[in-house]
Amino acid sequence: MPELPEVETVRRGLQPAMEGARFAKVEARRPDLRRPLPTGFVKRLEGRTVTGLGRRAKYLLADLSSGDVLLMHLGMSGSFRVAQDDGAKTASKTPGHFHYPRAEDRAHDHIVFHMSSGARITFNDPRRFGLMLLVPRAELADHPLMKEIGPEPLGNEFDASLLAAACRGKKTSLKAALSDQKVVAGLGNIYVCEALYGAHLSPKRRASTIADRKGKPNERAERLVDAIKGVLQDAIKAGGSSLRDHRRTDGELGYFQHRFRVYDREGQPCVTPGCKGTVKRIVQGGRSTFFCPECQK
DNA sequence: ACTACTCCCTGCCAGC
DNA sequence: TGCTGGCAGGGAGTAG
């Protein structure tokens, strides 16, 4: 599911249940997700306290009292639910006005954390593209999954200069460049489409055209950075987007999907004031791209 | 070093 | 109603 706004929403939902709490019991109901769980996964968690819960790109990072970091990725279909272990349900039932599963699919509840706080945190992931790893804190920055990741788009250091430098000389499309976690962290198919719409730039445009030959940003780069930051901030405020089975940790739906301007709107009129265009769907790198050919150049 | 393509896995849905 | 092909929010691996 999850792009940066959804992962950040999950982080905020898990934080009260995890931070300062100890893993009282951990259930790993299968030996692997996308990869095998690390050797001794359960034993390396049980008895440890979570000292902090952070996020980098689309990864959740739980700092443990052992010095390990529990690295978690939701893949395409991963989600967490928080409930109370005493059976009292805190997760409310959801109203059914958007795509959501007909019933909780417990068959895909792969990992359960029973916390000392009484919280029960369940990781569910039908497609098993998710990931859980344990990495010593000191090795995290150099870990293969972390070291190549580009700047956090909501960080102060992310600006037009940085984005232009990353796109300098790139022959690939803007869509592909922004989807590349090495260029900027945390964007995925939805928010790339929405950011490009916001900047009125075509997803087919060569990435290098937001920079001059020396890598200095032009006005397109400025617009793009503003659009990226804007759409991500708005989406986080809305609790992320809920498509198909994704929900927040409390079971509630995010609602940013109602504010998509182009994503999944093929054939609908462009919402740019004065634009007579129609949203088009094309395939880039094997994935759908939605954009308005009239006002995105 | 780049870029493009394939594959991982399961579920859902439109179309026949 | 039932089957089938295509598609889904991600990312790693491989081959040019």
Side-chain angles (χ1 to χ4, degrees), chain A residues 82-93 119-120 249-252:
Chain A
V82 179
Q84 286 299 308
D85 244 341
D86 59 17
K89 279 216 162 182
T90 54
S92 48
K93 292 295 176 192
R120 180 179 71 240
T249 56
D250 57 7
E252 297 297 325

Side-chain angles (χ1 to χ4, degrees), chain A residues 3 9 26 58 72 89 93 98 109 121 133 206 211 214 227 262 270 283:
Chain A
E3 306 182 30
T9 298
V26 172
K58 299 172 192 171
M72 298 174 280
K89 279 216 162 182
K93 292 295 176 192
F98 201 70
D109 285 352
I121 300 170
L133 290 182
R206 273 177 67 138
K214 294 179 181 172
V262 287
C270 177
V283 175

Side-chain angles (χ1 to χ4, degrees), chain A residues 2 19 40 61 88 117 143 155 158 168 171-174 189 197 229 252 284 287:
Chain A
E19 269 190 11
L61 303 169
S117 59
H143 192 278
F158 181 68
R168 177 186 181 186
K171 292 182 176 151
T172 192
S173 65
L174 264 185
N189 210 32
Y197 166 77
K229 287 180 184 268
E252 297 297 325
Q284 289 178 294
R287 290 199 159 84

